Amino acid sequence: METAFNGSKHSNFYLQHSVKQPRLTTSIRLHGFPRGFLQKPTLSKSWNTKLSFSSAMAPFFGSVQRRGIHVLSPNLSTPEMTLEFLAGAEDEYNGIIINPESLPSSANAFASALRASLSVWKLKGKKGVWLKIVSDLADLVPIAIQEGFEYNHAEPGYVMLTYWIPNEPSMLPLSPSHQIGIGAFVVNDHGQVLVVKEKCPCRCSDVWKLPTGYINKGEDIFSGAIREVKEETGVDTIFLEMAAFRHVHHLSFEQSDLLFLCMLKPLSTEITIDNKELQAAKWLDMDEFIEQPFYREDEMSKKMIEICVRAKCENNYKGFIAQQLTSKLDDDKLSYLYYHG
């Protein structure tokens, strides 16, 4: 028997692969072939691999039966079959990140390429697979779910799915589980605290409270506190220290919640409220603020205010300061370390 492989011809079958540049080559053993017969697909962010073979080659593949993978069997009436593979890159945990820009828009083409790719990655001993599907290709999501992918998280414009290949509990990180908020304790030179009344129909809607809010994506905690105060009251501030933080579970949509209490110094005093969120805002005497029934009855709020008063007015409590540093663990990016100064 003559064989063609990577340019060597054999009479019974022909196996070829085409890879767009750039290529990152790895070897895969095809069951039924001698050890010398290897085809080398590519795993990079810009590859597209095809396998072409004649019907006489089909017996070497046997049956592939995992999560709906089609069985390949001899069919002498079909002269040639082409398999497409999804483009992807290896991550540092021996997993695959599929290139979202390379996904076929056709449902049939996507299903075929996904099945073929999962088979190859399983043979290569890969572990986790990450699949990002943008909104324009949302019709592909049910196909991926049918093949065994699971939802991880969603953001405006896309959904992220994951697939764990090994027959063992998944080691992939779960979806984000926490929302992060801030509270701002701002005291002027007269010992008055900046307070607001919110429009929301909650239990503290008629209470003079500290400005609070959620930080934005990619925003530092203290920067979020400065921004929230500016947006809600028009007062400019700078960060002094982080006095405390509160951690609670199973709030909105079963998410956990972290609230960081930041002490800020005002750079201006004139108040201009955000009418969409607030009923009112003002500078309130500290005693009047503390003596509100809500704070006398709510243990958590009472303790947090007590800590801020000790730090600001009594000067016998030190919170966390922020220092900007780089770390090799974070690819040498700048980030902030909060610690007792």
Side-chain angles (χ1 to χ4, degrees):
M1 174 175 86
E2 281 186 41
T3 309
F5 201 91
N6 289 339
S8 300
K9 295 184 178 179
H10 301 261
S11 59
N12 285 352
F13 59 87
Y14 182 73
L15 173 64
Q16 68 177 24
H17 66 274
S18 59
V19 184
K20 296 180 180 178
Q21 295 296 326
R23 67 169 58 180
L24 176 64
T25 305
T26 54
S27 297
I28 289 182
R29 173 77 189 279
L30 297 179
H31 293 293
F33 286 160
R35 290 191 175 273
F37 293 128
L38 298 174
Q39 69 95 2
K40 299 183 178 181
T42 297
L43 291 176
S44 76
K45 291 187 177 180
S46 59
W47 65 257
N48 183 21
T49 305
K50 296 180 180 180
L51 281 176
S52 299
F53 53 90
S54 69
S55 58
M57 179 182 173
F60 290 96
F61 283 83
S63 297
V64 183
Q65 300 175 339
R66 189 184 192 277
R67 300 184 187 234
I69 303 301
H70 288 170
V71 175
L72 297 179
S73 59
N75 185 350
L76 299 179
S77 64
T78 304
E80 183 175 86
M81 175 186 241
T82 300
L83 293 178
E84 297 278 350
F85 292 94
L86 297 178
E90 295 184 6
D91 63 25
E92 58 184 318
Y93 303 103
N94 196 29
I96 298 292
I97 302 174
I98 297 173
N99 183 358
E101 298 179 358
S102 70
L103 298 181
S105 58
S106 163
N108 289 337
F110 172 71
S112 175
L114 184 61
R115 292 165 184 161
S117 299
L118 288 174
S119 296
V120 170
W121 295 331
K122 180 182 179 182
L123 289 172
K124 293 187 66 178
K126 297 302 173 185
K127 294 184 176 180
V129 181
W130 296 85
L131 173 59
K132 178 181 179 180
I133 299 181
V134 298
S135 299
D136 291 343
L137 299 177
D139 290 346
L140 303 182
V141 173
I143 299 172
I145 296 297
Q146 186 177 1
E147 294 303 321
F149 278 79
E150 297 181 348
Y151 292 103
N152 184 269
H153 69 274
E155 295 280 354
Y158 76 89
V159 61
M160 181 69 76
L161 308 175
T162 59
Y163 184 98
W164 184 250
I165 295 176
N167 186 24
E168 59 187 32
S170 174
M171 299 295 290
L172 294 176
L174 300 176
S175 60
S177 60
H178 284 68
Q179 51 193 15
I180 301 177
I182 59 88
F185 189 79
V186 188
V187 179
N188 63 18
D189 293 337
H190 303 290
Q192 297 173 312
V193 59
L194 181 63
V195 294
V196 300
K197 276 189 179 181
E198 296 184 342
K199 285 185 174 180
C200 66
C202 57
R203 286 181 294 176
C204 61
S205 60
D206 199 37
V207 177
W208 288 110
K209 60 183 287 293
L210 301 179
T212 58
Y214 290 109
I215 66 171
N216 294 330
K217 187 175 182 178
E219 184 176 43
D220 292 306
I221 294 171
F222 72 89
S223 297
I226 293 171
R227 174 188 52 77
E228 282 289 343
V229 170
K230 178 66 174 179
E231 290 178 354
E232 292 189 356
T233 70
V235 175
D236 294 308
T237 60
I238 59 172
F239 174 73
L240 295 177
E241 60 187 4
M242 183 186 297
F245 67 90
R246 186 268 291 131
H247 192 194
V248 64
H249 304 289
H250 306 298
L251 287 185
S252 56
F253 303 104
E254 298 302 309
Q255 292 283 297
S256 297
D257 187 279
L258 285 164
L259 178 74
F260 292 89
L261 185 57
C262 297
M263 300 185 61
L264 307 179
K265 178 181 179 180
L267 301 178
S268 63
T269 57
E270 183 177 351
I271 294 176
T272 305
I273 70 169
D274 179 359
N275 290 305
K276 293 181 293 184
E277 294 189 31
L278 302 182
Q279 301 179 49
K282 67 178 183 179
W283 295 100
L284 185 64
D285 289 338
M286 188 70 70
D287 290 341
E288 185 178 351
F289 173 58
I290 296 173
E291 289 303 315
Q292 293 182 96
F294 178 85
Y295 289 112
R296 291 203 309 267
E297 298 168 1
D298 187 83
E299 292 182 352
M300 180 68 72
S301 299
K302 181 179 179 180
K303 187 63 178 180
M304 293 177 75
I305 299 304
E306 176 188 320
I307 290 171
C308 289
V309 171
R310 287 175 55 195
K312 177 63 180 178
C313 304
E314 300 174 9
N315 200 28
N316 65 356
Y317 177 89
K318 293 294 184 181
F320 290 149
I321 62 172
Q323 183 178 359
Q324 194 174 42
L325 303 165
T326 61
S327 172
K328 295 186 182 299
L329 297 176
D330 301 321
D331 297 328
D332 291 320
K333 292 179 180 178
L334 283 171
S335 58
Y336 281 93
L337 175 67
Y338 296 84
Y339 64 93
H340 190 273

